[in-house]
């Protein structure tokens, strides 16, 4: 590695040094609706909006205001997910993002129907006693419309509950028509209620979108329902409630307890959790001054705000196939999990869908798969072809260079006359893959891909999904449900990159469950950058030989110097040394806030590269931007123009119009991005900025992702001593509390017994 290209005065360093410190907290209140990317990130998981009290065992962060990318960013991170869609004027025609969300809504409704159709009795409770029996009785009381007779949680560990039998598949439904826009009368009524509680009237649109056209009446009856609006925090909802209800409302008000419980689980979902352990949720409620957290959890269970699950901490005797009566009678320790219905049902549907593909798989007639494998361009590609030939579900892992292997599989399947398609996370990855590839968002929305058959399934025999670590449970469930019976599904990705923006750990859980073949690529990423990134993936920050200055370290003393040197690199040094245009250089930094976050860097880069008056919300024609059309997605684009309709963008050749009231929430300048926004894309040259205030935001997967976005050249603006090697060696991704691995293993055990 060497120092900055074209800047021989910089002292040479041996390897990228340290990282930066955490960026300054930035609270977002009801009066300043947070940008979609200013909510908690899944990256370092210390961003704002994390369930302040839901930290600890479940891995959620307690901090509520940090703007470090530690949470999820626009595209893949929670930052994007926090954006609220202003209501009150929808376009008559569905956009791609709206169509995808509509498809996911249909999937959630289908899951709900499936759950309602479960009439078979659940084999649970035969050997339960004490607390476990009380909890089961409480759950059954809830299901029958009653309330638990006594507290159902204490320090004792509950006993396991066996899974319910798999339900029959429900018919697929077409995407619904767009919901009608809120009328002026509805918005006026909501504004009146908001004004009466001292909340900004600008929240009327988001409140209607979150609560529906009856938002005004709902808020009058239960002011804490305002927490359904993304940018609102508990303290602000408390103030709103006091203004409407007077001094009679207190911290133990049942309405407050239920709203807080749901809000904490939503914040946990922004960190990637599909559920929380009971002690973690109770502790979080206690941090918000709830008088009796255990009783509050019981109330949430009895009112149906949350769903209770028992997850065995060991393998049941039945799954082990033991014949020892005493061993078979042993009760396996379990943990009690609580989750929101939407995420938990999606996780169950996803597990069912994956096993449906395994169970309905047909081997494809007389297709010469062995001949296709012999024609594969590499041994790893041949292994993947053979695995897909004989199985309905396959996992493939590898780095950037390994993406050629699923591409070879698609080509082989097409040569055999099968309908095959590859889907990627971003348009950039789609364009790099070529061969008729699509994006996952476009495939789900119907704007890309082969279309659907009469039953609503994708007209495919083989679907290969690249960037699979970016699938959350909702999107993954919708995708798997769309794959027809008997078809093949291959999930491919790099397990070392940052995880999905939404709830779940789909790819990692599927790998951990080991219920299908797993093909690990043996194709290394080439060049000095590839060698450096490969070492980071195993926890080693190595010094690599870079004779062509492919990797350069630029030491800086403070954030101001970091911004100055970054602008110099993007505008002058990298273009001059490598012949890469400035608009092909991307800057990646740990967070949005702080003296060297994306806001500060984008302001400095705009002044140098595209100065202008910011005629429309700070944007001018030619500005590169990141558009957040839906939670968890960040689409790069460029400003074309602006008029009364909104800001006109060119996003990968598609013209997009962002309404005026959505610009502040859904669009950022895009010279500098966070690592979550960069997942799935690559650029000829990348400048990674590690200011002195960022170490807490750094982890091995963050560094791996950020450094791996560079194709030809990587500059590291480095201002943090030993924090970088420490992060690479010691700071692993924060765990996510999910149920998919246990669900898959349970289904596998049941299948083995049949």
């Amino acid at each position: 590695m060497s120092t900055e290209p074209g800047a021989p005065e910089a002292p040479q360093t041996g390897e990228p040094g340290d990282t930066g410190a955490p960026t300054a907290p930035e609270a977002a209140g009801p009066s300043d609706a947070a940008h979609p990317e200013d909510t908690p990130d899944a990256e370092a998981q210390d961003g704002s909006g994390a369930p302040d009290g839901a930290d600890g065992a479940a891995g959620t962060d307690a901090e509520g205001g940090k703007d470090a990318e530690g949470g999820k960013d626009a595209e893949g991170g929670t930052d994007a997910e926090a954006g609220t869609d202003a209501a009150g004027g929808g376009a008559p025609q569905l956009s791609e993002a709206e169509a995808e969300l509509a498809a996911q809504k249909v999937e959630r409704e289908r899951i709900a129907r499936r759950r309602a159709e479960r009439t078979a009795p659940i084999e649970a409770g035969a050997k339960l006693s004490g607390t476990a029996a009380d909890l089961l009785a409480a759950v059954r009381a809830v299901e029958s419309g009653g309330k638990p007779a006594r507290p159902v949680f204490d320090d004792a560990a509950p006993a396991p509950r066996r899974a319910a039998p798999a339900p029959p598949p429900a018919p697929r439904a077409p995407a619904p028509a767009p919901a009608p826009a809120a009328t002026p009368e509805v918005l006026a009524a909501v504004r009146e209620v908001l004004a009466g509680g001292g909340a900004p009237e600008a929240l009327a649109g988001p409140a209607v979108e979150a609560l529906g056209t009856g938002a005004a009446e709902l808020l009058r009856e239960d002011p804490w329902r305002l927490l359904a609006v993304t940018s609102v925090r508990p303290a602000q909802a408390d103030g709103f409630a006091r203004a409407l209800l007077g001094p009679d409302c207190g911290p133990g008000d049942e309405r407050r307890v239920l709203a807080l419980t749901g809000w904490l689980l939503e914040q946990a979902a922004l960190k990637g959790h599909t559920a929380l352990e009971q002690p973690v949720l109770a502790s979080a409620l206690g941090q918000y001054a709830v008088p009796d957290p255990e009783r509050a959890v019981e109330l949430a269970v009895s009112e149906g705000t949350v769903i209770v699950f028992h997850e065995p901490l060991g393998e049941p005797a039945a799954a082990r196939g033991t014949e020892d009566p005493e061993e078979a009678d042993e009760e396996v320790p379990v943990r009690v999990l609580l989750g929101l219905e939407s995420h938990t049902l999606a996780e169950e549907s996803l597990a069912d869908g994956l096993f449906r593909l395994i169970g309905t798989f047909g081997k494809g007639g007389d297709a010469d798969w062995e001949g296709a494998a012999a024609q594969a361009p590499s041994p790893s590609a041949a292994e993947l072809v053979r695995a897909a030939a004989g199985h309905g579900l396959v996992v493939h892992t590898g780095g950037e260079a390994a993406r050629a292997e699923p591409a070879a599989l698609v080509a082989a399947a097409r040569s055999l006359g099968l309908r095959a398609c590859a889907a990627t996370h971003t348009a950039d990855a789609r364009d790099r893959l070529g061969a008729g590839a699509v994006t996952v968002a476009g495939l789900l929305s119907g704007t890309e891909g082969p279309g659907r058959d009469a039953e609503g399934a994708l007209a495919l025999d083989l679907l290969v999904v690249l960037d699979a670590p970016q699938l959350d449970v909702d999107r993954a469930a919708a995708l798997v449900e769309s794959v027809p019976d008997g078809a093949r599904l291959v999930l491919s990705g790099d397990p070392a990159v940052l995880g999905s923006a939404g709830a779940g750990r789909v790819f990692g859980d599927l790998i951990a469950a080991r219920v299908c073949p797993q093909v690990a690529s043996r194709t290394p990423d080439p060049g000095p950058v590839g060698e450096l990134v490969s070492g980071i993936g195993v926890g080693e920050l190595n010094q690599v030989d870079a004779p062509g200055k492919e990797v350069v370290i630029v030491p800086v003393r403070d954030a101001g110097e970091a911004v100055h040197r970054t602008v110099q690199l993007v505008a002058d040094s990298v273009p001059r040394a490598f012949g890469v245009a400035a608009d092909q250089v991307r800057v990646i930094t740990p967070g949005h806030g702080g003296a060297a976050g994306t806001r500060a860097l984008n302001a400095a880069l705009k002044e140098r590269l595209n100065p202008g008056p910011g005629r429309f919300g700070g944007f001018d024609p030619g500005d590169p931007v990141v558009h957040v059309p839906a939670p968890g997605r960040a689409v790069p684009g460029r400003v074309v123009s602006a008029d009364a309709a909104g800001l006109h963008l060119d996003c990968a050749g598609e013209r997009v119009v962002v309404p005026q009231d959505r610009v502040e929430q859904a669009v950022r300048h895009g010279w500098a991005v966070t690592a979550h926004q960069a997942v799935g894309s690559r650029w000829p040259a990348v400048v990674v900025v590690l200011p002195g205030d960022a170490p807490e935001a750094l982890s091995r997967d963050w560094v791996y992702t950020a450094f791996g976005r560079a194709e030809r050249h990587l500059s590291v603006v480095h201002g943090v001593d030993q924090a970088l090697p420490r992060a690479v060696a010691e700071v692993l991704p924060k765990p996510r509390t999910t149920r998919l691995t246990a669900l898959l293993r349970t289904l596998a055990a049941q299948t083995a017994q049949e």
Side-chain angles (χ1 to χ4, degrees), residues 94 96-110 173-176 441 443-446 452 474 477-479 481-482:
L94 283 176
E96 175 185 304
E98 291 169 337
E100 181 191 353
L101 291 175
Q104 292 189 24
K105 180 180 179 181
V106 170
E107 169 64 13
R108 289 192 293 270
E109 293 173 349
R110 186 197 63 77
L443 186 65
L444 287 176
S445 66
R452 297 178 181 258
D474 292 317
L479 195 67
E481 173 62 20
S482 298

Side-chain angles (χ1 to χ4, degrees), residues 375-437:
Q375 299 297 319
S378 68
S380 294
E383 184 180 357
L384 180 59
V385 170
R386 293 188 181 97
H391 301 86
L393 179 65
V394 177
V395 169
H396 172 259
T397 60
E400 286 294 329
R403 298 169 79 91
E405 295 161 15
L409 170 61
V410 171
R414 289 175 178 168
S415 71
L416 297 174
L418 300 179
R419 302 168 299 172
C421 180
T424 65
H425 182 56
T426 65
D428 173 73
R430 174 198 64 195
D431 296 341
R432 285 187 285 113
L433 192 65

Side-chain angles (χ1 to χ4, degrees), residues 49-55 60-61 227 233-234 256-271 273 275-276 280-288 290 306 340:
D52 294 13
D55 209 8
T60 58
D61 285 337
L227 281 173
R233 307 281 296 176
R256 180 179 188 266
V257 168
L258 295 176
L260 268 178
T261 302
W263 181 82
L264 285 168
L265 288 169
E266 288 288 3
Q267 298 305 303
L270 293 176
K271 295 291 187 182
H273 308 284
L276 289 179
V280 175
L281 181 57
S283 174
L285 288 167
Q287 293 186 28
Y288 282 99
V290 173
V306 299
L340 295 174

Side-chain angles (χ1 to χ4, degrees), residues 57-60 272-277 335 337 347 504 735-739:
T60 58
H273 308 284
T274 58
L276 289 179
E277 294 187 40
R335 61 174 180 172
L337 298 177
E347 209 160 22
R736 299 183 176 193
T737 304
T738 62
R739 301 173 53 237

Side-chain angles (χ1 to χ4, degrees), residues 200-238:
E201 295 184 7
L203 292 179
V208 172
E209 182 170 350
L211 300 175
T213 54
E217 187 62 28
L218 289 173
L219 290 173
R220 283 194 187 93
E221 295 176 356
D222 183 356
W224 287 282
R225 296 289 293 271
L226 192 64
L227 281 173
V229 178
T230 304
S231 61
V232 177
R233 307 281 296 176
Q236 295 141 5
D238 286 341

